[in-house]
Amino acid sequence: MKKYLTGKMGVPMKTKEISRAPVSQQAHVIQKPEHPEYIGGSITVEINEKKVSVPLGTTILEACRQNQVYVPTLCHHDDLCVAGVCRICVVDVEGMRTLQAACAFPITAPIKIRTSTPMVRKARKHIIDLLLSEHYGECYSCFRNNNCELQALAKEYGVDHYNFGHVEKQRYEIDSSSYSVVRDMDKCILCKRCVRTCIDLQEVGVLEAIDRGYKTHIGTFGDKPLAEVICINCGQCINRCPTGALRANDPRDEIWEAIDNPQKHVVVQTAPSPRAAIGEEFGIEPGHSFTGEMNTALRRIGFDRVFDTNFTADLTIMEEGTELLIRLYKALVKKDTSVVIPQFTSCSPGWVKYLEHFYPEFIPNLSSAKSPQQMFGALIKTYYAKKHNIDPSNIVSVAVMPCSAKKFECNRPEMTSSGFKDVDYGLTTRELAQMIKEAGIYLPEMPKSHFDDPFGDASGAGLIFGATGGVMEAALRTVIELVTGEKVENVFDNMNIMPVRGFEGIKYAELPITKVGPIPKLLVHVVPNWDWLKGATLKIAVAHGTANAKRVMDSIKAGGKFSLCHFIEFMACPGGCIGGGGQPIPTSAEIRRKRAQAIYAEDAALDVRKSHENTHVLKLYEEFLTYGPCGHTAHKLLHTHYTKRGKFIS
Amino acid sequence: METKTKKRTGPVIFSGYERGTAIEKALNINREDILLEIRESKLRGRGGAGFPTSTKWMLTAAALSDEKFIICNADEGEPGTFKDRVLLIEYPELVFDGMVIAAHTIGAQKGIIYLRGEYEYLLKPLQEYLEGMRKDNFLGKDILGKKGFYFDITVFLGSGAYVCGEETALIESLEGQRGEARNRPPYPVNTGYMGKPTIVNNVETLASIPHIIIKGSEWYKKLGTGKSSGSKLFSVSGDCDKPGVYELPWGTKISELLELVSAKNTKAVQVGGASGFCYNKTQFDKALAYEDAATGGSIMIFNESRDMLRVLNNFMEFFVDESCGQCTPCRIGNVKLLEGVKMIQKGDYTFAYINKLKELGKSMQVASKCGLGQSSPNAFLSILENFNEEIFNRENGGTNEN
């Protein structure tokens, strides 16, 4: 079989057999070298009369970038398969009658490339003119103003008027049916990045081009509203849209209204990933965390309390970890056949909906523990309200998330265990940055401050939830200690559980349990002892991006390697939450890597790095969740159930 | 399917052929010699683009793969072309024998005929004809006793998109995807149907093969011009007394063809269908050949009563509708060109803007992803150029009814 070029770091690797994208879009095929100048896997080409050597099969675009020759792109995205449809990257290849798309042309012969001939410049200008002629709306009334690839190109090519007219009337209705993703096809330039994201990167397949010619538009099955199709709300399409055609469903107006209403007690919880990325919205290089600064900014905006979602991430570990131990005990010791393993994590709402649609028969495998966002929501309107004597009906609970699916999650009908809507609004990193700007605040210059009590600052385990493998690492830090009585740092250097870190699409690890300790007080109600775990090997896996999740699920279905796992972490987004659909645009493997680094660095600097050592969590179990993890109160407030949705749309 | 009595005459394709004879001969020649024979014949693709057939075959033959495909492009969608239909109805033995010979030459096991959606009525007769071939061992296992030579042909009905005549869009369509052209390279000879080496040949190209095998490249080359060897089927339509399919040697002058079909008062000839060029009277001495007035076979004749702007309007509406919509120059460019035509029709235009559109057309020719967008401005540019006076000196700016 021909070898296909594999994806970059952080992008699911795939081969022809398992991708749903058309063959032509998957990657370039390296042709058999036939030319005598082919030596040692590289080939010499001329770019603008300069001889350079590149590996065989490199695209013209890559070759140009490697040699500091700039070629504009629009439909191309480093995370995605090739399209070659916008034609903005056309270059002249000597001897060829037509111009060639640099992004789609694999170099297999010693060609001569010119990137800026009169014909090339004219064609590019024409393409920009044509796109602008069909692009409805004005830049200043667009949320992507100053962060739009079409706008940037127009500036680059000095467009100062519409050469071929400009569309005056709206042609499409805005689809805001979904809680998560809003589609405005009037701003679509048909680059098909969203289609490739949905079909090829995520393998969900909600979006595709419909009709042909000038009627071509991106649509769903039967052009149904997004809320009625199998969209999992991951928002990866938003992150890759070059224009303002895709955005998250924005609750800023409602939140401002609540802030400005003196009757309302507005609290905000912030997830780990936004703090590691929000600086990018203020022109800071990726890879810097602004936790303390963001807390101050949130207070200055007018939020009454600022809480750390990591607190409930720690709580999730306690609940989900306990649930896992219960499952294993029931299945392995009690031989209870109604209990299924592996247990799947349930904190990624994109993943949860994906499973509900594509593998509904595996719903029993999903941990019943709510996500940290929803646990927090339930606690704020019960525990916190009672403790501070606030009428929960006056509390407006906002969650700052790196995620578009969180907006859907907080609107799930089952998420009302406090007696109210547990979380009122999911706010993305991008939207929060916008609010901060609206308030006249320059985030990077804010003084630092801590999170509010009674939840306080959380552990590093909660923090690393943001990166792929983070939930697994957090769970292991706790489970290893609670079961073996051994300190994690004695097993893994600096508590860093490296086998589950990194951007490999699917990670797998085995942890032999050679000794067991006494049952901790917190878990005496769960199991009598750990003896049954002695000598066992804990098998775990981590998958990020639904394309990789699909591989794992198919393996489980077929009784393969992953069906023997005990616990599997799934994240809908490539890279985990740091690459979520609510994070700053643009995204790339490099940006995601830097965000993850920022999170791991912050974790390493913390004193408390294990969920079960979070004193606020322990206090909560003493004061409020008195039946312990997975106990009665916890079950009522912190656990949920799921819906079999299936793939078929009526 | 019963073969109709052949009334047509022509130098090659219409010259008479007995089913299976070329296959029999080809099976006794080694593959390299067949490839050389075809290369010597200088046969070029008859779909319109004129790519040397032997190059396609040689590259496919040289590609290493356990599976290879022969696809017969019968998506005849170019406006004004209907020769492939005639071949499929009256001369299926040429087309299918050509496919079997191609399969033998490159080592393919499967052939597919991609039949234009509108030719649905041919589906059953063709399937019956193929059944007959299977019975007579022209298809199937050990064809004509040649051990290990397995080849079979299926018919696939298209869904009516013009772009699917473009070979890579055709392959996408066959695979069940949207009919959209692929990026090239890689080419189908290397990465075609299902990612395997694939030959996509026009019906007429394949129909020429048996004659070349039987009579040899020397004989074939004697016909035509240096760069365009052999003969060509022309689908002649429009203002003439004797429209129909004609087989003529390459190099025939437009004026000779007009005489043959009894065209009178001819003002314009559109050579190559909607994607071709439109010539005026002063250009009728052009030769029909790849190097001069190239065509996949479509010849449309317009007499003095026709309004060339209306002709152009019709072509542009066709492209606006038939663009697959994936690449920018073709999807939006054609709309802009059509808008320009409408402006001229209304008399509401400036020469500066029309010149801008001409420049746009030239960009479309080089920057579009596939042949559709690369050739769609041809009619616009050639009609505005060759009928300049008529178009820009319109009295009332309106259209007449012809």
Side-chain angles (χ1 to χ4, degrees):
Chain A
M1 207 196 102
K2 299 261 176 199
K3 190 170 177 286
Y4 287 82
L5 292 182
T6 48
K8 304 228 169 53
M9 188 177 66
V11 180
M13 312 271 224
K14 55 189 59 150
T15 56
K16 186 177 149 267
E17 284 78 15
I18 45 182
S19 172
R20 289 176 53 198
V23 179
S24 54
Q25 288 184 8
Q26 284 163 19
H28 320 291
V29 176
I30 302 176
Q31 288 173 324
K32 202 171 139 230
E34 275 159 11
H35 204 277
E37 282 195 33
Y38 160 74
I39 306 153
S42 66
I43 195 157
T44 304
V45 294
E46 262 184 39
I47 303 177
N48 298 337
E49 270 132 49
K50 188 183 154 218
K51 281 202 175 188
V52 297
S53 179
V54 294
L56 193 79
T58 309
T59 62
I60 293 180
L61 179 66
E62 284 162 7
C64 288
R65 285 180 176 176
Q66 284 164 18
N67 292 284
Q68 290 77 46
V69 174
Y70 171 76
V71 174
T73 53
L74 200 51
C75 69
H76 175 85
H77 193 287
D78 281 340
D79 285 344
L80 303 176
C81 58
V82 180
V85 296
C86 76
R87 314 304 288 174
I88 197 77
C89 69
V90 286
V91 294
D92 183 89
V93 176
E94 197 177 277
M96 298 196 81
R97 186 175 54 87
T98 56
L99 301 176
Q100 301 299 316
C103 71
F105 193 105
I107 297 172
T108 53
I111 50 174
K112 289 179 182 170
I113 303 154
R114 279 178 301 162
T115 63
S116 182
T117 65
M119 195 196 272
V120 166
R121 284 194 306 271
K122 196 173 78 181
R124 285 181 188 160
K125 185 84 191 320
H126 274 136
I127 286 160
I128 296 167
D129 283 337
L130 290 176
L131 288 172
L132 290 176
S133 79
E134 295 274 288
H135 187 69
Y136 176 74
E138 299 294 343
C139 288
Y140 44 76
S141 59
C142 179
F143 79 106
R144 287 292 293 272
N145 193 3
N146 269 336
N147 184 16
C148 168
E149 294 179 41
L150 181 63
Q151 188 187 40
L153 273 177
K155 185 164 188 281
E156 218 170 281
Y157 279 78
V159 174
D160 53 5
H161 66 287
Y162 295 120
N163 260 315
F164 296 108
H166 188 227
V167 60
E168 300 290 341
K169 263 193 245 154
Q170 227 176 318
R171 294 184 299 168
Y172 300 99
E173 211 175 310
I174 293 176
D175 177 6
S176 50
S177 61
S178 159
Y179 286 117
S180 300
V181 182
V182 179
R183 298 174 65 240
D184 179 359
M185 286 304 99
D186 272 316
K187 288 184 177 150
C188 175
I189 54 165
L190 290 166
C191 68
K192 291 199 185 169
R193 281 190 193 172
C194 58
V195 173
R196 284 175 285 149
T197 302
C198 203
I199 293 183
D200 191 65
L201 183 72
Q202 290 289 70
E203 295 192 19
V204 173
V206 163
L207 300 172
E208 181 49 294
I210 298 182
D211 283 339
R212 65 173 188 230
Y214 72 103
K215 290 182 193 149
T216 311
H217 62 281
I218 307 301
T220 59
F221 176 78
D223 259 339
K224 282 176 178 291
L226 202 57
E228 291 173 26
V229 297
I230 55 169
C231 172
I232 62 164
N233 303 314
C234 68
Q236 290 301 305
C237 52
I238 302 176
N239 289 0
R240 289 170 184 81
C241 179
T243 69
L246 293 169
R247 64 183 302 181
N249 210 332
D250 190 342
R252 274 181 301 140
D253 290 347
E254 288 92 332
I255 294 171
W256 279 121
E257 204 175 303
I259 286 173
D260 294 337
N261 183 345
Q263 303 297 315
K264 297 290 181 191
H265 183 75
V266 188
V267 301
V268 65
Q269 54 164 313
T270 72
S273 291
R275 65 192 70 158
I278 195 167
E280 294 163 35
E281 292 282 346
F282 294 86
I284 306 291
E285 279 289 297
H288 298 274
S289 273
F290 285 93
T291 315
E293 293 85 343
M294 204 168 85
N295 288 346
T296 311
L298 285 163
R299 288 191 183 93
R300 291 204 185 169
I301 284 176
F303 286 102
D304 295 301
R305 289 289 181 280
V306 181
F307 298 135
D308 190 353
T309 308
N310 298 355
F311 169 80
T312 35
D314 284 335
L315 197 58
T316 299
I317 290 303
M318 300 306 291
E319 292 294 327
E320 201 167 302
T322 306
E323 185 189 344
L324 175 66
L325 292 168
I326 293 173
R327 276 191 202 231
L328 293 177
Y329 183 67
K330 280 188 182 164
L332 303 176
V333 182
K334 298 280 179 191
K335 307 290 177 198
D336 182 345
T337 49
S338 69
V339 175
V340 289
I341 26 185
Q343 176 176 303
F344 302 155
T345 62
S346 60
C347 29
S348 165
W351 150 247
V352 169
K353 195 157 181 267
Y354 178 81
L355 186 89
E356 288 176 334
H357 280 304
F358 291 86
Y359 299 93
E361 69 274 27
F362 284 93
I363 281 178
N365 293 65
L366 267 181
S367 163
S368 67
K370 285 181 184 172
S371 70
Q373 163 178 294
Q374 292 308 129
M375 284 196 182
F376 223 135
L379 288 176
I380 284 169
K381 291 192 181 178
T382 54
Y383 172 70
Y384 169 77
K386 202 169 151 200
K387 199 171 168 108
H388 291 259
N389 204 17
I390 304 166
D391 179 356
S393 67
N394 280 332
I395 295 179
V396 175
S397 179
V398 178
V400 174
M401 293 287 146
C403 183
S404 52
K406 288 284 175 194
K407 293 168 188 282
F408 172 84
E409 188 186 32
C410 77
N411 281 294
R412 277 179 178 257
E414 55 268 30
M415 295 299 179
T416 53
S417 41
S418 64
F420 302 89
K421 194 179 168 192
D422 291 338
V423 172
D424 293 285
Y425 304 107
L427 188 70
T428 63
T429 312
R430 294 187 297 267
E431 290 152 1
L432 174 62
Q434 193 61 48
M435 287 184 78
I436 293 174
K437 286 175 192 169
E438 282 173 56
I441 295 166
Y442 181 62
L443 179 81
E445 286 177 357
M446 282 292 105
K448 294 182 184 187
S449 61
H450 284 275
F451 290 99
D452 284 313
D453 283 334
F455 306 110
D457 293 334
S459 82
L463 184 69
I464 58 173
F465 262 54
T468 166
V471 177
M472 185 58 73
E473 180 166 352
L476 290 177
R477 283 181 191 174
T478 290
V479 168
I480 288 173
E481 275 195 15
L482 295 188
V483 171
T484 64
E486 184 82 33
K487 288 278 171 200
V488 181
E489 47 271 44
N490 297 339
V491 186
F492 292 98
D493 284 348
N494 299 321
M495 236 182 276
N496 298 337
I497 306 180
M498 297 315 283
V500 297
R501 290 193 185 182
F503 288 96
E504 203 184 319
I506 299 168
K507 288 162 276 188
Y508 174 83
E510 294 185 2
L511 296 161
I513 301 170
T514 48
K515 65 169 206 172
V516 293
I519 294 281
K521 202 177 126 210
L522 204 58
L523 296 179
V524 285
H525 66 293
V526 177
V527 285
N529 58 57
W530 296 132
D531 295 345
W532 52 282
L533 276 175
K534 197 170 176 190
T537 298
L538 189 65
K539 292 174 182 166
I540 51 148
V542 174
H544 62 116
T546 41
N548 290 312
K550 188 169 181 249
R551 309 280 172 278
V552 173
M553 289 309 300
D554 290 342
S555 156
I556 294 173
K557 250 182 135 164
K561 172 179 166 188
F562 294 104
S563 66
L564 303 174
C565 279
H566 301 107
F567 189 38
I568 306 180
E569 177 202 300
F570 287 102
M571 291 290 158
C573 296
C577 305
I578 42 120
Q583 290 283 66
I585 300 168
T587 185
S588 69
E590 180 64 11
I591 290 172
R592 294 190 290 275
R593 193 178 60 77
K594 284 184 174 167
R595 289 175 187 161
Q597 269 174 1
I599 281 184
Y600 284 122
E602 215 180 334
D603 162 53
L606 287 175
D607 295 332
V608 180
R609 295 176 64 200
K610 298 166 200 163
S611 299
H612 59 284
E613 289 179 357
N614 180 333
T615 52
H616 299 280
V617 168
L618 298 175
K619 202 169 143 203
L620 185 74
Y621 279 115
E622 272 166 34
E623 281 183 8
F624 187 63
L625 306 170
T626 45
Y627 300 95
C630 291
H632 176 68
T633 325
H635 219 273
K636 183 169 168 285
L637 291 175
L638 309 183
H639 290 257
T640 185
H641 58 272
Y642 306 97
T643 312
K644 278 192 175 181
R645 294 178 200 271
K647 266 191 273 193
F648 300 99
I649 305 156
S650 55
Chain B
M1 188 167 72
E2 206 179 320
T3 315
K4 307 243 165 48
T5 328
K6 316 252 194 305
K7 286 179 195 158
R8 298 174 192 276
T9 50
V12 180
I13 289 175
F14 294 160
S15 67
Y17 168 73
E18 194 188 328
R19 183 183 74 156
T21 48
I23 301 179
E24 217 160 324
K25 184 171 177 192
L27 291 180
N28 292 312
I29 311 174
N30 77 47
R31 293 165 172 188
E32 288 73 21
D33 291 338
I34 299 177
L35 289 171
L36 289 175
E37 194 70 35
I38 308 236
R39 191 172 75 181
E40 278 305 301
S41 77
K42 296 187 186 169
L43 177 65
R44 291 167 70 174
R46 295 296 193 245
F51 191 79
T53 305
S54 62
T55 310
K56 245 185 210 185
W57 285 30
M58 280 173 175
L59 288 169
T60 316
L64 296 173
S65 174
D66 48 353
E67 237 183 329
K68 294 178 188 178
F69 296 97
I70 309 283
I71 294 171
C72 170
N73 185 347
D75 191 52
E76 193 168 44
E78 190 62 53
T81 322
F82 40 85
K83 55 167 181 92
D84 294 345
R85 188 186 63 200
V86 166
L87 285 175
L88 291 171
I89 294 174
E90 298 177 18
Y91 298 84
E93 68 278 11
L94 285 174
V95 182
F96 293 125
D97 287 7
M99 285 178 82
V100 175
I101 294 163
H104 164 65
T105 312
I106 66 149
Q109 301 82 28
K110 196 179 170 195
I112 303 166
I113 169 157
Y114 187 95
L115 188 66
R116 181 183 180 183
E118 289 84 345
Y119 291 172
E120 194 183 347
Y121 65 97
L122 292 181
L123 186 61
K124 228 181 134 204
L126 288 174
Q127 280 167 343
E128 281 166 11
Y129 184 86
L130 290 170
E131 199 43 55
M133 283 180 76
R134 277 178 210 115
K135 262 193 208 135
D136 298 341
N137 196 218
F138 290 120
L139 287 177
K141 275 184 199 164
D142 303 333
I143 293 172
L144 297 183
K146 180 92 178 171
K147 278 277 165 223
F149 179 32
Y150 172 85
F151 182 65
D152 203 355
I153 299 173
T154 52
V155 190
F156 182 96
L157 195 64
S159 306
Y162 170 72
V163 72
C164 290
E166 198 279 343
E167 60 177 7
T168 59
L170 183 152
I171 290 170
E172 286 285 295
S173 168
L174 272 180
E175 289 181 2
Q177 313 281 3
R178 267 175 75 81
E180 290 182 345
R182 292 177 174 179
N183 291 302
R184 305 145 59 100
Y187 299 96
V189 290
N190 169 294
T191 311
Y193 180 58
M194 296 298 175
K196 307 284 184 185
T198 304
I199 287 181
V200 183
N201 277 154
N202 177 259
V203 174
E204 188 187 341
T205 314
L206 289 165
S208 309
I209 300 288
H211 287 289
I212 295 171
I213 296 295
I214 296 281
K215 294 173 194 159
S217 56
E218 281 306 319
W219 165 83
Y220 189 78
K221 264 196 304 199
K222 279 184 196 146
L223 289 164
T225 71
K227 285 183 178 168
S228 314
S229 78
S231 68
K232 178 79 190 92
L233 299 189
F234 296 99
S235 315
V236 184
S237 63
D239 297 321
C240 65
D241 292 344
K242 294 189 265 178
V245 176
Y246 292 82
E247 186 183 12
L248 300 169
W250 280 119
T252 305
K253 288 199 162 79
I254 295 176
S255 55
E256 289 167 358
L257 181 69
L258 289 175
E259 205 171 309
L260 189 67
V261 301
S262 304
K264 292 176 197 77
N265 297 323
T266 305
K267 172 161 83 178
V269 178
Q270 175 82 15
V271 177
S275 64
F277 293 85
C278 198
Y279 298 110
N280 66 23
K281 274 181 197 167
T282 64
Q283 297 162 309
F284 289 172
D285 59 344
K286 273 183 173 291
L288 295 163
Y290 292 112
E291 62 273 23
D292 199 359
T295 174
S298 169
I299 305 284
M300 290 185 231
I301 302 169
F302 302 97
N303 69 19
E304 293 291 353
S305 70
R306 306 293 172 184
D307 174 357
M308 292 317 290
L309 197 56
R310 214 175 140 189
V311 170
L312 176 57
N313 185 77
N314 189 26
F315 288 148
M316 289 323 299
E317 277 179 356
F318 174 78
F319 286 121
V320 165
D321 191 50
E322 289 293 348
S323 162
C324 81
Q326 65 164 330
C327 82
T328 314
C330 178
R331 179 182 69 245
I332 315 176
N334 282 312
V335 172
K336 296 297 155 192
L337 298 188
L338 176 63
E339 277 173 15
V341 174
K342 302 267 184 211
M343 285 175 181
I344 303 172
Q345 281 180 341
K346 283 190 200 142
D348 180 19
Y349 65 93
T350 61
F351 280 110
Y353 189 68
I354 299 302
N355 286 337
K356 248 192 211 179
L357 290 179
K358 286 185 187 168
E359 288 303 304
L360 173 65
K362 287 177 198 162
S363 283
M364 288 165 67
Q365 286 175 327
V366 293
S368 293
K369 185 168 175 178
C370 82
L372 198 167
Q374 287 161 11
S375 60
S376 65
N378 292 351
F380 183 88
L381 294 172
S382 66
I383 290 181
L384 290 195
E385 169 86 24
N386 296 338
F387 300 89
N388 181 27
E389 202 155 318
E390 175 190 329
I391 283 171
F392 295 106
N393 292 337
R394 304 166 73 80
E395 273 177 23
N396 53 8
T399 46
N400 67 40
E401 281 310 302
N402 293 302

